[in-house]
Amino acid sequence: MKIALFPGSFDPITLGHVDIIQRALPLFDNIIIGIGVNSSKKNLFSVDQRITWIKDTFSSEPKIIVEQYSGLTIDFCEKIKAHYILRGLRSSSDFEYESIIAQNNKLLDKHIETIFLVSSPQYSPINSFIVREIIINKGDISRLVPAVVLNSVKVN
Ligand code: ADP
């Protein structure tokens, strides 16, 4: 079984994340979307809300599982038997940051491979931090997030 972990904060899930997940689906038997819970990081949305949005976005996709975790990503990989970590690359700054994380993970566990997918051109400007700022300031996020997030943010 080829199992990949796609770790992130997904605060909230964006169309950039959805694009990476959909393009990775043919490569793996299962993709576990892992919401990393870090007590020192201030989030806008609760973990439960973020999980619900991801589950609703992929409700018709049985290969996708959503879980939360804390601690080292490679320890969670071992727990869920994932040999692959999936990450998206938007820019050269993502590459610099991500390659260091991937190399450190390799030092910690040589069996884990990090697989990078380059974002589709229309999604590379999207990042969760900017989406949160637009939400807080009541701007238009219709081209940035999946419909479930859009509809639920509109109601609140
Ligand atoms: P962000 O970096 O937007 O705050 P996360 O921390 O949840 O989001 O990131 C999880 C993963 O998703 C990372 O590998 C990140 O590079 C990737 N990612 C986030 N947004 C995009 C995007 N627009 N296109 C491609 N990959 C993305």
Side-chain angles (χ1 to χ4, degrees):
M1 284 275 276
K2 279 198 167 68
I3 301 174
L5 172 68
F6 186 39
S9 44
F10 305 101
D11 185 31
I13 186 164
T14 69
L15 292 179
H17 297 128
V18 172
D19 174 58
I20 296 293
I21 295 163
Q22 279 171 341
R23 287 165 51 209
L25 273 173
L27 306 177
F28 302 104
D29 297 303
N30 282 125
I31 297 177
I32 319 278
I33 302 175
I35 300 187
V37 181
N38 178 344
S39 52
S40 67
K41 207 169 162 187
K42 216 177 154 292
N43 293 295
L44 183 59
F45 297 106
S46 70
V47 174
D48 285 349
Q49 174 67 90
R50 286 179 267 157
I51 290 176
T52 302
W53 279 333
I54 300 171
K55 282 188 173 163
D56 289 350
T57 301
F58 295 105
S59 55
S60 57
E61 184 42 73
K63 286 166 83 174
I64 293 179
I65 295 159
V66 190
E67 290 195 19
Q68 61 172 291
Y69 74 98
S70 56
L72 291 178
T73 300
I74 50 138
D75 290 340
F76 186 56
C77 283
E78 193 183 332
K79 184 173 166 216
I80 61 174
K81 302 195 184 336
H83 287 147
Y84 303 93
I85 295 175
L86 174 65
R87 298 290 284 175
L89 292 179
R90 288 162 287 196
S91 60
S92 54
S93 61
D94 267 2
F95 173 77
E96 286 190 14
Y97 173 76
E98 295 287 346
S99 56
I100 290 170
I101 305 273
Q103 286 167 333
N104 277 284
N105 283 334
K106 197 65 167 169
L107 289 173
L108 290 169
D109 186 338
K110 66 177 180 349
H111 303 294
I112 294 193
E113 289 296 350
T114 304
I115 308 292
F116 296 107
L117 292 185
V118 174
S119 68
S120 298
Q122 68 271 39
Y123 298 127
S124 57
I126 302 178
N127 82 54
S128 297
F129 171 73
I130 292 172
V131 169
R132 289 196 292 279
E133 289 297 305
I134 298 174
I135 291 172
I136 290 166
N137 292 290
K138 309 215 176 308
D140 178 10
I141 52 164
S142 56
R143 281 179 293 177
L144 308 177
V145 297
V148 287
V149 178
L150 182 65
N151 294 335
S152 134
V153 168
K154 261 190 200 159
V155 171
N156 293 303

